[in-house]
Amino acid sequence: MSSSSSFELNKIAGAVLGTLMLTLGLGIVSEEIFKQEKPEKAGYELADAAPAATAEAPAASQDPPLAELVAKASVEKGAAIFKKCAACHTDDQSGKNGVGPNLFGVIGGPKGHKTDFAYSDAIKALHDKGETWTADDFYHFIKSPQAFAKGTKMSFAGLPKPQDRADILAYLNSKSEKPIDLPK
């Protein structure tokens, strides 16, 4: 091997080693520039979907009495609002379950009223206690299903307007063989 070919090999090896050292150096420098602190706790904190009422909350944020809302409730408006629910629920007597259970006869009936529907553990627990869907319970459930029954599979955020909830209540109460007496 001649000295010039040996010199060429040394230049090539030097260029490769120089490139590797430059790449390694840039990696170290960029790690220092873009260094991120590890969080104390993994994951994200989510705000509570239904913040607890406080004594400082204005009285205007409280719902009017259910009896007052029911007195103004409209079955027709409730039927129109129910269209939001119809994506997951049916409401006719012979209706099939969908993503959610059929709601015919739900008001006044047992919580977890459909034996052929796979309810969440939260609703099963209420059913096992023998609880029924009173007007007041159903009104509060559709305000915020997750707040009423933590762990429910119902992902619907809820109906924020009190009168809309009263209208749905009146409508679903009419969808029963035995409608209950609503608060007066």
Side-chain angles (χ1 to χ4, degrees):
M1 199 176 189
S2 72
S3 69
S4 67
S5 67
S6 161
F7 183 70
E8 289 295 314
L9 285 173
N10 283 343
K11 284 195 317 188
I12 292 171
V16 170
L17 286 173
T19 303
L20 291 174
M21 287 182 62
L22 180 65
T23 304
L24 180 64
L26 285 174
I28 292 170
V29 169
S30 66
E31 278 183 23
E32 287 301 314
I33 292 172
F34 300 105
K35 190 173 195 170
Q36 291 183 339
E37 297 295 322
K38 289 196 180 237
E40 292 177 20
K41 184 177 171 185
Y44 296 98
E45 294 254 350
L46 298 176
D48 190 8
T54 63
E56 299 169 12
S61 69
Q62 300 298 318
D63 291 349
L66 183 56
E68 184 180 310
L69 294 166
V70 168
K72 296 185 284 183
S74 162
V75 171
E76 292 78 22
K77 286 181 184 175
I81 296 166
F82 185 80
K83 290 178 182 174
K84 294 177 185 179
C85 311
C88 298
H89 299 279
T90 58
D91 63 350
D92 54 314
Q93 189 167 10
S94 60
K96 303 257 187 255
N97 295 324
V99 173
N102 174 285
L103 296 178
F104 185 86
V106 69
I107 308 298
K111 292 178 181 170
H113 72 292
K114 297 294 287 181
T115 58
D116 60 343
F117 184 77
Y119 289 98
S120 62
D121 290 340
I123 299 297
K124 285 180 192 173
L126 297 173
H127 176 83
D128 292 345
K129 289 181 187 176
E131 293 188 19
T132 60
W133 282 114
T134 65
D136 191 59
D137 280 353
F138 192 81
Y139 173 84
H140 286 95
F141 179 75
I142 60 175
K143 178 178 184 178
S144 176
Q146 290 293 331
F148 186 90
K150 288 213 183 287
T152 183
K153 288 192 266 185
M154 187 166 165
S155 61
F156 182 64
L159 293 172
K161 295 179 184 175
Q163 192 59 56
D164 286 353
R165 294 192 304 270
D167 291 339
I168 286 274
L169 177 62
Y171 172 70
L172 285 176
N173 191 45
S174 74
K175 296 296 213 162
S176 174
E177 289 180 350
K178 300 175 190 171
I180 64 169
D181 291 330
L182 295 176
K184 293 186 185 317

